[in-house]
Amino acid sequence: MAIITLNGIEKVYRTKDIETIALENVNLTVNPGEFVSVMGPSGCGKSTLLNIIGLLDRPTKGSVRVLDRDCAGFSDRELSHFRNANLGFVFQSFHLIPSLDVAANVELPLIYRNVPAAERKRLSEESLKRVGLEKRMDHKPTEMSGGQQQRVAIARALAAAPPLILADEPTGNLDSKSSREIMEILRKLHTEGRTVILITHDDKIAQSAKRIIRIMDGKIVDDI
């Protein structure tokens, strides 16, 4: 069973005077346990593709199946619950809440799943240990480096044990040392059986994956 199946995906953004085609006739299958990099220059449609895979946006045309579920008929509330239960997101800008400490940031998705407080605390601690931040749980994001903040974001994505990790330019704001550390964590998650889809414009980062998909002008032009 494929974990992701896209058929005939198109995404068009329209204003009163302009029509922009972000994706055109995209067909893609990702199997469980794959590590896939999606590469391309800025504006090529790769982040739009990840948003559709991650059910953060709906296509203008075509079908999206995630974990063998046809998501076309889901309401916004159903999509939100499905994402929270099955998808872990890592973004370039971390999206941490500055007023909360690290442990509380990691617990957030678990709160939306109605996980009891004691279990949330345990899962948060376990996730932070996995990314080497067990001694920084009471720190605020503003007291940490960019690489550390991204590790917190990965811990947050892992806390609910989702089968699919979606990472959108996770090293884009990091120095080379931090980038290597983040990629090592993602590679380890892959070897443990998680499916990882990584968006990047950096060829060196893309080479960490077992499969590289290249997008140009909203179309898949290569799949190696």
Side-chain angles (χ1 to χ4, degrees), residues 14 18 31-32 49 57 66 68 70 82 91 94 114 117 150 167 181 183 185 187 195 224:
R14 294 184 175 91
I18 300 174
N31 293 312
L49 177 62
D57 198 1
V66 180
D68 207 33
D70 185 350
F82 188 82
F91 297 101
F94 319 137
N114 297 315
Q150 192 60 289
E181 291 173 349
M183 291 311 302
I185 292 171
R187 280 192 290 269
T195 305
I224 303 171

Side-chain angles (χ1 to χ4, degrees), residues 39-47 169 199-202 215-218:
M39 272 201 70
S42 178
C44 72
K46 58 186 186 295
S47 289
E169 297 279 8
I199 298 294
T200 184
H201 65 275
D202 188 324
I215 293 185
M216 186 68 67
D217 298 328

Side-chain angles (χ1 to χ4, degrees), residues 3-103:
I3 196 166
I4 299 289
T5 305
L6 306 182
N7 286 314
I9 294 296
E10 293 187 8
K11 183 62 181 180
V12 180
Y13 296 101
R14 294 184 175 91
T15 65
K16 183 177 179 181
D17 303 312
I18 300 174
E19 179 177 280
T20 302
I21 301 175
L23 295 172
E24 184 177 358
N25 193 32
V26 171
N27 298 285
L28 176 64
T29 299
V30 177
N31 293 312
E34 284 198 272
F35 188 168
V36 181
S37 285
V38 180
M39 272 201 70
S42 178
C44 72
K46 58 186 186 295
S47 289
T48 301
L49 177 62
L50 192 78
N51 286 342
I52 287 174
I53 291 172
L55 306 175
L56 296 170
D57 198 1
R58 298 178 188 264
T60 306
K61 185 187 294 186
S63 65
V64 179
R65 296 186 71 88
V66 180
L67 296 172
D68 207 33
R69 296 284 302 276
D70 185 350
C71 303
F74 282 13
S75 67
D76 289 345
R77 184 179 179 83
E78 288 170 331
L79 285 175
S80 179
H81 284 303
F82 188 82
R83 283 194 304 266
N84 184 260
N86 298 292
L87 310 179
F89 293 91
V90 182
F91 297 101
Q92 180 176 353
S93 299
F94 319 137
H95 292 323
L96 303 177
I97 297 178
S99 61
L100 298 180
D101 64 25
V102 162

Side-chain angles (χ1 to χ4, degrees), residues 131-178:
V131 298
L133 291 176
E134 63 272 23
K135 296 181 180 179
R136 304 295 299 271
M137 290 190 288
D138 60 347
H139 286 66
K140 298 289 179 64
T142 52
E143 300 170 333
M144 308 177 80
S145 69
Q148 289 171 328
Q149 290 185 64
Q150 192 60 289
R151 281 191 273 161
V152 174
I154 292 174
R156 181 183 57 194
L158 290 176
L164 177 60
I165 302 292
L166 303 176
D168 191 357
E169 297 279 8
T171 62
N173 287 333
L174 305 180
D175 59 42
S176 57
K177 179 177 181 294
S178 296

